[in-house]
Amino acid sequence: MFEAKGLMVFYENMLALNNVSLKCQEAQIVGVFGTNSAGKSTLMYTLSGIMQDIKKKEAMAGGERITLMGEVFYQGEDIMSLKPSQRARKGIILCPERRRIFPESTVLENLKIGGYLADSVQIKATLDYVFTIFPALVPLKNREGGFLSGGEQQMLAIGRALMAQPRILLLDEPLMGLSPLVQALLARSIKGIRDERGVSLIITEQYARPVLPIVDYAYILENGAAVMEGTRQELMDNPDVRAAYFGI
Amino acid sequence: MEILVYGIINSVTLALMALGFTLVYGISGLPNFAHGALYIVTGFIAWSFIHTLKLNFLLAMFLSLFVTGLIGAAIYRLFLIRVRGMATSEIIASYAIGLAILEGLRWGGFKGMTYTLPVFIEGSLQILGVQVDLQRIMVVVVGVVVMGLLWLFTHYNRIGLALRAMAQDERAALMLGIDSDRMAVAAMFLGSFLAGLAAVVLLPLGNIVVEAGYNVLIMAIAVCIVGGLGSWIGAILAAFLIGFVQILTVVYIESHFQIVVALLAIIVTLILKPSGLFGRQKELEERV
């Protein structure tokens, strides 16, 4: 349903993504694990179309020359040339690294902004859903996004992305910098989003352990290349992978 | 008392002039130096509607606002979109467009003292023992109402919320399906509309002269720099600060010091606190 083939991204002459291909089936949770600078965020930006925008801006400002190659298919259609807003309309929504909450807007406003593409019925239903899975946000409704804790911001970021009615939700390091308790809670919520709403998810993480229980299939990214892939069990059976990414 | 009453009127006047400029800058980081030209153009459009097409007065006013809004949107769509992200080029391009509009008007024969817009309401009123004509009270009312409506628009309307999102974090807004070019067009429409609105309430107080376009631009820039670029609250406070200082110079020194006050305010702000009263210094934060 969602498939990337032979993605290559160059920043000037630096190869950031090297021939990466990945697949995500309907209602599947796919993990992408890799260390810092392995190309996780570049991959997410490329899948969501943000890379197109960065490329355009860099070119206009005379900055870095970015080269993009490869194809991204969504339901059989090549969407590589689409702008981020067009991809978002198709249901491909990125929830970015470091959350990028709108700091001067309240929690409720952040969520409403997330519902920019949704109609009023969807907005109401999704708002209820977000407050059900993240009850911690309810008393914070009118607080400005910048005054939330890291865990609350992450809940808000996921909620905001849900408001955009995603079919494929790209979560870029959603558990980064959070306590183990919050990590476990978020992992459960993420699984719930898949189970209850049938959303497909692609999740990147540096450290795979907290999301391992919920992923169906995973890729290991090293220096921009997908060096290994397999089901959760296959990866866990590999001693090198276990030592490097799972810490087991 | 005179200082208080006319200070408030002058401050709201400045705020009205600057609102469109600060809105466009706040949302899309675009310094729209054609702002003053759009202000004057609205005056001439309204004048043409009334005198050439013989339209009803209120209808002419509203139509001219929409036309100005469309002109602003077109300026973005046709010209500024090509230099997006390059601040210097944006300034040069928008200033050139403004210059072309203003000098084009002058060349086209729109000059001299013959062009005036009718006032909304005639008559005057005693406020705190000061004689004020009703049009000036209208200015204050319109200014306050517009600020209120803008606040409601940016807090409750879908587009308004998206505009604010764009102002805070463009990339995060993109991820949610908000199109940056479309938002910039909307911001330019709204900014030009506000420039036009300032024009139709302020121009009846005097003649429509091309030179006023430059003054309006300077005032708008002064207010925005003192208030902190892109900050709406800052702009309103700065308008009151500069507005009252101007009235004080009029009362105690001489009336043509008004523009000097604006220019001095720019210089002093840039020396003492370059980010202005409420500047966000976005770029600096991003680099850290």
PDB file of all heavy atoms in Angstrom, chain B residues 238-255:
ATOM      1  N   ALA B 238       3.659  49.790  20.337  1.00  0.00           N
ATOM      2  CA  ALA B 238       4.571  50.737  19.696  1.00  0.00           C
ATOM      3  C   ALA B 238       3.794  51.873  19.053  1.00  0.00           C
ATOM      4  O   ALA B 238       4.215  53.033  19.086  1.00  0.00           O
ATOM      5  CB  ALA B 238       5.419  50.017  18.653  1.00  0.00           C
ATOM      6  N   ALA B 239       2.621  51.534  18.478  1.00  0.00           N
ATOM      7  CA  ALA B 239       1.800  52.568  17.866  1.00  0.00           C
ATOM      8  C   ALA B 239       1.409  53.603  18.918  1.00  0.00           C
ATOM      9  O   ALA B 239       1.437  54.812  18.670  1.00  0.00           O
ATOM     10  CB  ALA B 239       0.553  51.948  17.244  1.00  0.00           C
ATOM     11  N   PHE B 240       1.073  53.130  20.123  1.00  0.00           N
ATOM     12  CA  PHE B 240       0.704  54.068  21.186  1.00  0.00           C
ATOM     13  C   PHE B 240       1.902  54.887  21.639  1.00  0.00           C
ATOM     14  O   PHE B 240       1.795  56.093  21.886  1.00  0.00           O
ATOM     15  CB  PHE B 240       0.060  53.318  22.357  1.00  0.00           C
ATOM     16  CG  PHE B 240      -1.418  53.147  22.166  1.00  0.00           C
ATOM     17  CD1 PHE B 240      -1.912  52.102  21.403  1.00  0.00           C
ATOM     18  CD2 PHE B 240      -2.307  54.073  22.689  1.00  0.00           C
ATOM     19  CE1 PHE B 240      -3.267  51.961  21.181  1.00  0.00           C
ATOM     20  CE2 PHE B 240      -3.670  53.939  22.471  1.00  0.00           C
ATOM     21  CZ  PHE B 240      -4.150  52.872  21.719  1.00  0.00           C
ATOM     22  N   LEU B 241       3.055  54.239  21.748  1.00  0.00           N
ATOM     23  CA  LEU B 241       4.272  54.945  22.160  1.00  0.00           C
ATOM     24  C   LEU B 241       4.605  56.055  21.166  1.00  0.00           C
ATOM     25  O   LEU B 241       4.700  57.236  21.522  1.00  0.00           O
ATOM     26  CB  LEU B 241       5.418  53.922  22.225  1.00  0.00           C
ATOM     27  CG  LEU B 241       6.684  54.361  22.927  1.00  0.00           C
ATOM     28  CD1 LEU B 241       6.410  54.525  24.400  1.00  0.00           C
ATOM     29  CD2 LEU B 241       7.782  53.334  22.706  1.00  0.00           C
ATOM     30  N   ILE B 242       4.718  55.678  19.895  1.00  0.00           N
ATOM     31  CA  ILE B 242       5.086  56.657  18.871  1.00  0.00           C
ATOM     32  C   ILE B 242       3.966  57.685  18.714  1.00  0.00           C
ATOM     33  O   ILE B 242       4.214  58.889  18.595  1.00  0.00           O
ATOM     34  CB  ILE B 242       5.375  55.955  17.529  1.00  0.00           C
ATOM     35  CG1 ILE B 242       6.574  55.025  17.681  1.00  0.00           C
ATOM     36  CG2 ILE B 242       5.651  56.976  16.433  1.00  0.00           C
ATOM     37  CD1 ILE B 242       6.900  54.235  16.426  1.00  0.00           C
ATOM     38  N   GLY B 243       2.730  57.217  18.760  1.00  0.00           N
ATOM     39  CA  GLY B 243       1.593  58.106  18.597  1.00  0.00           C
ATOM     40  C   GLY B 243       1.588  59.233  19.619  1.00  0.00           C
ATOM     41  O   GLY B 243       1.405  60.401  19.282  1.00  0.00           O
ATOM     42  N   PHE B 244       1.809  58.879  20.881  1.00  0.00           N
ATOM     43  CA  PHE B 244       1.791  59.904  21.919  1.00  0.00           C
ATOM     44  C   PHE B 244       2.997  60.829  21.825  1.00  0.00           C
ATOM     45  O   PHE B 244       2.875  62.045  22.013  1.00  0.00           O
ATOM     46  CB  PHE B 244       1.694  59.265  23.311  1.00  0.00           C
ATOM     47  CG  PHE B 244       0.276  59.048  23.746  1.00  0.00           C
ATOM     48  CD1 PHE B 244      -0.368  57.847  23.515  1.00  0.00           C
ATOM     49  CD2 PHE B 244      -0.431  60.091  24.338  1.00  0.00           C
ATOM     50  CE1 PHE B 244      -1.684  57.655  23.887  1.00  0.00           C
ATOM     51  CE2 PHE B 244      -1.757  59.913  24.716  1.00  0.00           C
ATOM     52  CZ  PHE B 244      -2.379  58.687  24.494  1.00  0.00           C
ATOM     53  N   VAL B 245       4.161  60.259  21.522  1.00  0.00           N
ATOM     54  CA  VAL B 245       5.351  61.105  21.382  1.00  0.00           C
ATOM     55  C   VAL B 245       5.147  62.111  20.263  1.00  0.00           C
ATOM     56  O   VAL B 245       5.476  63.291  20.381  1.00  0.00           O
ATOM     57  CB  VAL B 245       6.615  60.247  21.134  1.00  0.00           C
ATOM     58  CG1 VAL B 245       7.807  61.146  20.856  1.00  0.00           C
ATOM     59  CG2 VAL B 245       6.889  59.357  22.324  1.00  0.00           C
ATOM     60  N   GLN B 246       4.538  61.644  19.163  1.00  0.00           N
ATOM     61  CA  GLN B 246       4.274  62.554  18.043  1.00  0.00           C
ATOM     62  C   GLN B 246       3.372  63.706  18.466  1.00  0.00           C
ATOM     63  O   GLN B 246       3.640  64.866  18.153  1.00  0.00           O
ATOM     64  CB  GLN B 246       3.616  61.778  16.897  1.00  0.00           C
ATOM     65  CG  GLN B 246       4.615  61.003  16.069  1.00  0.00           C
ATOM     66  CD  GLN B 246       3.962  60.367  14.857  1.00  0.00           C
ATOM     67  OE1 GLN B 246       2.757  60.179  14.829  1.00  0.00           O
ATOM     68  NE2 GLN B 246       4.770  60.034  13.874  1.00  0.00           N
ATOM     69  N   ILE B 247       2.310  63.374  19.189  1.00  0.00           N
ATOM     70  CA  ILE B 247       1.383  64.428  19.610  1.00  0.00           C
ATOM     71  C   ILE B 247       2.092  65.401  20.559  1.00  0.00           C
ATOM     72  O   ILE B 247       1.910  66.621  20.483  1.00  0.00           O
ATOM     73  CB  ILE B 247       0.138  63.806  20.275  1.00  0.00           C
ATOM     74  CG1 ILE B 247      -0.698  63.073  19.216  1.00  0.00           C
ATOM     75  CG2 ILE B 247      -0.706  64.870  20.954  1.00  0.00           C
ATOM     76  CD1 ILE B 247      -1.202  63.955  18.086  1.00  0.00           C
ATOM     77  N   LEU B 248       2.946  64.845  21.420  1.00  0.00           N
ATOM     78  CA  LEU B 248       3.693  65.719  22.328  1.00  0.00           C
ATOM     79  C   LEU B 248       4.587  66.673  21.547  1.00  0.00           C
ATOM     80  O   LEU B 248       4.684  67.861  21.881  1.00  0.00           O
ATOM     81  CB  LEU B 248       4.534  64.882  23.299  1.00  0.00           C
ATOM     82  CG  LEU B 248       3.728  64.178  24.399  1.00  0.00           C
ATOM     83  CD1 LEU B 248       4.619  63.245  25.203  1.00  0.00           C
ATOM     84  CD2 LEU B 248       3.070  65.201  25.322  1.00  0.00           C
ATOM     85  N   THR B 249       5.243  66.177  20.504  1.00  0.00           N
ATOM     86  CA  THR B 249       6.095  67.080  19.725  1.00  0.00           C
ATOM     87  C   THR B 249       5.251  68.111  19.007  1.00  0.00           C
ATOM     88  O   THR B 249       5.664  69.261  18.865  1.00  0.00           O
ATOM     89  CB  THR B 249       6.934  66.314  18.679  1.00  0.00           C
ATOM     90  OG1 THR B 249       6.050  65.623  17.819  1.00  0.00           O
ATOM     91  CG2 THR B 249       7.908  65.361  19.318  1.00  0.00           C
ATOM     92  N   VAL B 250       4.059  67.706  18.571  1.00  0.00           N
ATOM     93  CA  VAL B 250       3.192  68.668  17.888  1.00  0.00           C
ATOM     94  C   VAL B 250       2.811  69.788  18.857  1.00  0.00           C
ATOM     95  O   VAL B 250       2.862  70.970  18.542  1.00  0.00           O
ATOM     96  CB  VAL B 250       1.915  67.982  17.354  1.00  0.00           C
ATOM     97  CG1 VAL B 250       0.920  69.025  16.868  1.00  0.00           C
ATOM     98  CG2 VAL B 250       2.265  67.034  16.232  1.00  0.00           C
ATOM     99  N   VAL B 251       2.481  69.403  20.087  1.00  0.00           N
ATOM    100  CA  VAL B 251       2.027  70.392  21.059  1.00  0.00           C
ATOM    101  C   VAL B 251       3.187  71.276  21.528  1.00  0.00           C
ATOM    102  O   VAL B 251       3.060  72.485  21.613  1.00  0.00           O
ATOM    103  CB  VAL B 251       1.358  69.682  22.257  1.00  0.00           C
ATOM    104  CG1 VAL B 251       1.048  70.701  23.358  1.00  0.00           C
ATOM    105  CG2 VAL B 251       0.091  68.989  21.810  1.00  0.00           C
ATOM    106  N   TYR B 252       4.328  70.657  21.819  1.00  0.00           N
ATOM    107  CA  TYR B 252       5.400  71.422  22.445  1.00  0.00           C
ATOM    108  C   TYR B 252       6.475  71.910  21.484  1.00  0.00           C
ATOM    109  O   TYR B 252       7.218  72.824  21.805  1.00  0.00           O
ATOM    110  CB  TYR B 252       6.040  70.600  23.567  1.00  0.00           C
ATOM    111  CG  TYR B 252       5.089  70.407  24.723  1.00  0.00           C
ATOM    112  CD1 TYR B 252       4.517  69.172  24.984  1.00  0.00           C
ATOM    113  CD2 TYR B 252       4.726  71.506  25.530  1.00  0.00           C
ATOM    114  CE1 TYR B 252       3.626  69.004  26.033  1.00  0.00           C
ATOM    115  CE2 TYR B 252       3.828  71.346  26.567  1.00  0.00           C
ATOM    116  CZ  TYR B 252       3.272  70.095  26.813  1.00  0.00           C
ATOM    117  OH  TYR B 252       2.385  69.957  27.834  1.00  0.00           O
ATOM    118  N   ILE B 253       6.628  71.286  20.325  1.00  0.00           N
ATOM    119  CA  ILE B 253       7.672  71.762  19.408  1.00  0.00           C
ATOM    120  C   ILE B 253       7.015  72.281  18.135  1.00  0.00           C
ATOM    121  O   ILE B 253       6.563  73.410  18.086  1.00  0.00           O
ATOM    122  CB  ILE B 253       8.718  70.662  19.095  1.00  0.00           C
ATOM    123  CG1 ILE B 253       9.209  70.021  20.414  1.00  0.00           C
ATOM    124  CG2 ILE B 253       9.923  71.309  18.391  1.00  0.00           C
ATOM    125  CD1 ILE B 253      10.109  68.837  20.223  1.00  0.00           C
ATOM    126  N   GLU B 254       6.899  71.418  17.142  1.00  0.00           N
ATOM    127  CA  GLU B 254       6.303  71.876  15.898  1.00  0.00           C
ATOM    128  C   GLU B 254       5.687  70.694  15.179  1.00  0.00           C
ATOM    129  O   GLU B 254       6.097  69.560  15.401  1.00  0.00           O
ATOM    130  CB  GLU B 254       7.390  72.497  15.000  1.00  0.00           C
ATOM    131  CG  GLU B 254       7.130  73.961  14.692  1.00  0.00           C
ATOM    132  CD  GLU B 254       8.199  74.486  13.762  1.00  0.00           C
ATOM    133  OE1 GLU B 254       9.397  74.458  14.121  1.00  0.00           O
ATOM    134  OE2 GLU B 254       7.825  74.920  12.660  1.00  0.00           O
ATOM    135  N   SER B 255       4.767  70.920  14.264  1.00  0.00           N
ATOM    136  CA  SER B 255       3.994  69.804  13.733  1.00  0.00           C
ATOM    137  C   SER B 255       4.773  68.947  12.742  1.00  0.00           C
ATOM    138  O   SER B 255       4.482  67.781  12.581  1.00  0.00           O
ATOM    139  CB  SER B 255       2.706  70.310  13.091  1.00  0.00           C
ATOM    140  OG  SER B 255       3.045  71.094  11.983  1.00  0.00           O
TER     141      SER B 255
END
